[in-house]
Amino acid sequence: MTDRQFETKLLHQPDFIDKQTGAVNVPLHYSSTFHQESINEFGPFDYSRSGNPTRQALENTIAELENGAQGFAFASGMAAISSAFMLLEAGDHVLVSKDVYGGTFRVITQVLTQFNIDHTFIDMTDLNETARSVQPNTKVIYVETPSNPCLNITDIEGVAKVAKAHGCLTFVDNTFMTPLLQKPLDLGADLVLHSATKFLSGHSDVVAGLAVAKNEELGARLKFVQNSFGSILGVQDCWLLLRGMKTLSVRLNQSSQSATQIAQYLHHHQVIEEVYYPGFSFHDGYPIHKRQATGPGAVLSFRLPDKKCAEIFVDKLKIPVFAVSLGAVESILSYPATMSHAAMPVEEREKRGITDGLLRLSVGLENVDDLLTDIQQALVAVEQHVPKALA
Ligand SMILES: *Cc1c(COP(=O)(O)O)cnc(C)c1O
């Protein structure tokens, strides 16, 4: 199947056609347990925490899409991330991008510390700093690129080289790009993680996490964790995710195109202080992003002068839903300071550029002119609050 293009792979996987009936969708195997032939002959499945045919179809699919050896489906993105951290032992240390997802920050600072697993947050866009920060007990370098919410770009290949030189594993949260736009395992990473709640499922209807191990050895270790810890994805959600993933390329390509237009518009608007979008040729990380990914994605952030301006903007904007989350068919506007990054103390937030005027927009599939008109009218109201911007 490797000769086929990604879009084709999204639609045609060996598991998609049911062997027994010819059904063109994976059946929902609502069964917690599986009958065995005899005490000496066990079938491929025994108990659904350990393995389920519907979940396996999803796990095989994501492994194929990420070019990895083995895929895993978890109850949420955080369950996938936390389970991956269970590959570590007391006394180990992780190096982490300083602007990771708020929930990842929380699990590292408040859960892993309970098990004596230490961490250092660093500016991973700086490879020298990354190499300098490796400690004798560092076991994992954890990357999120583009990062959330300021869309900083980390050189995956560069980090993976540093990690290999020091005998560490590289974990990459690939939620913002998906394997359509970025394949971390091809760039040297060992494990890819996803909040499949976002672009992979794409319809704001399921909470799910996925992980893909590059090789069988790491896959076997994660399989052990998945079965032991048990935070697996239920079959109905596996099915919804399989269905959502079929349209990933049309959804994400269209949304990225609209996001590019919106980012350009915001960049030229006088009341906007800053726009963060990896599609801009003047973005600091642009050359690296262009090398390691095939598109800018559909998420952008922008800074208004202050909290009041952000309040007015949110109040006036009509089309996007104002909510936590991203990566859906509908555009989603969110306010990182009190939403995705609420778990982060104020000082930590501000260090990462998550100020009170920052908004994040995940662009959906609405007509882009409607979105632009909506944004334009909301910014008129913001400008009335900041009359000096008109000068
Ligand atoms: C949402 C998100 C997560 C957490 O995933 P859940 O499915 O909400 O548990 C992790 N990383 C990133 C980048 C996210 O956007």
Side-chain angles (χ1 to χ4, degrees):
M1 303 266 294
T2 41
D3 53 330
R4 293 190 177 169
Q5 298 297 311
F6 190 86
E7 292 77 5
T8 311
K9 287 187 184 180
L10 284 174
L11 297 159
H12 299 280
Q13 290 294 319
D15 295 311
F16 287 2
I17 293 178
D18 181 40
K19 306 264 180 313
Q20 221 158 18
T21 63
V24 298
N25 284 290
V26 175
L28 275 158
H29 288 280
Y30 267 117
S31 192
S32 58
T33 191
F34 297 82
H35 175 68
Q36 309 300 328
E37 282 310 312
S38 73
I39 55 170
N40 295 314
E41 287 168 89
F42 288 173
F45 299 98
D46 55 19
Y47 185 62
S48 276
R49 173 162 33 74
S50 318
N52 173 285
T54 310
R55 193 174 89 226
Q56 191 172 73
L58 170 64
E59 294 179 331
N60 290 345
T61 301
I62 192 64
E64 174 75 19
L65 297 176
E66 287 281 12
N67 294 338
Q70 203 174 349
F72 302 90
F74 294 94
S76 67
M78 284 320 304
I81 292 165
S82 304
S83 297
F85 280 133
M86 292 207 173
L87 294 165
L88 296 169
E89 289 173 15
D92 288 349
H93 171 262
V94 266
L95 270 188
V96 194
S97 307
K98 71 177 185 328
D99 43 3
V100 277
Y101 176 73
T104 306
F105 178 87
R106 179 170 50 206
V107 88
I108 289 169
T109 57
Q110 295 186 52
V111 181
L112 295 189
T113 47
Q114 293 179 356
F115 300 95
N116 195 23
I117 294 166
D118 199 10
H119 58 267
T120 311
F121 288 103
I122 56 161
D123 175 5
M124 219 170 272
T125 63
D126 181 345
L127 285 180
N128 292 325
E129 182 177 342
T130 306
R132 267 201 315 275
S133 308
V134 176
Q135 300 179 10
N137 58 339
T138 304
K139 293 289 163 62
V140 166
I141 306 189
Y142 189 96
V143 184
E144 206 180 296
T145 182
S147 68
N148 183 16
C150 288
L151 291 311
N152 291 313
I153 303 299
T154 294
D155 178 349
I156 298 172
E157 207 169 4
V159 169
K161 277 193 186 131
V162 171
K164 284 212 169 65
H166 293 87
C168 312
L169 296 172
T170 306
F171 292 1
V172 178
D173 181 332
N174 201 26
T175 301
F176 274 41
M177 288 288 105
T178 81
L180 172 71
L181 303 178
Q182 181 170 277
K183 293 187 185 66
L185 301 181
D186 290 354
L187 298 163
D190 300 286
L191 189 70
V192 179
L193 297 156
H194 284 284
S195 169
T197 312
K198 317 293 168 54
F199 291 102
L200 288 172
S201 67
H203 295 71
S204 303
D205 54 7
V206 57
V207 171
L210 294 171
V212 181
K214 171 80 179 169
N215 63 45
E216 303 286 350
E217 190 266 332
L218 188 62
R221 286 170 61 199
L222 192 58
K223 176 81 203 169
F224 177 79
V225 171
Q226 186 194 37
N227 191 35
S228 305
F229 194 58
S231 59
I232 48 145
L233 189 63
V235 288
Q236 171 114 37
D237 288 343
C238 289
W239 190 92
L240 280 168
L241 188 46
L242 277 165
R243 168 154 135 168
M245 280 161 61
K246 290 186 181 180
T247 54
L248 175 68
S249 71
V250 279
R251 285 187 287 105
L252 186 50
N253 284 331
Q254 178 58 53
S255 288
S256 301
Q257 213 174 305
S258 300
T260 302
Q261 261 179 275
I262 291 169
Q264 298 280 8
Y265 173 80
L266 292 172
H267 174 66
H268 289 112
H269 200 288
Q270 57 200 349
V271 85
I272 305 284
E273 292 185 346
E274 192 126 30
V275 182
Y276 303 94
Y277 188 56
F280 287 147
S281 57
F282 49 84
H283 183 296
D284 283 345
Y286 183 77
I288 292 167
H289 188 71
K290 207 167 156 52
R291 198 175 70 219
Q292 68 188 12
T294 54
V299 179
L300 56 104
S301 293
F302 55 98
R303 194 184 304 289
L304 286 166
D306 56 21
K307 186 173 183 183
K308 184 71 197 163
C309 291
E311 269 173 26
I312 296 169
F313 186 81
V314 170
D315 188 48
K316 295 290 174 191
L317 201 70
K318 295 286 174 276
I319 297 174
V321 296
F322 181 55
V324 166
S325 201
L326 56 100
V329 286
E330 64 276 2
S331 292
I332 301 177
L333 180 73
S334 65
Y335 186 60
T338 59
M339 290 178 161
S340 57
H341 289 68
M344 204 175 264
V346 185
E347 327 79 69
E348 295 294 325
R349 264 204 282 117
E350 287 184 349
K351 257 193 253 169
R352 290 160 173 81
I354 308 164
T355 60
D356 287 345
L358 191 78
L359 287 161
R360 186 186 74 198
L361 182 66
S362 166
V363 180
L365 297 177
E366 299 91 347
N367 181 294
V368 70
D369 293 329
D370 286 344
L371 289 174
L372 286 166
T373 306
D374 193 25
I375 291 168
Q376 193 172 13
Q377 64 80 28
L379 288 175
V380 168
V382 173
E383 278 182 319
Q384 281 159 1
H385 169 69
V386 197
K388 65 177 188 303
L390 293 170

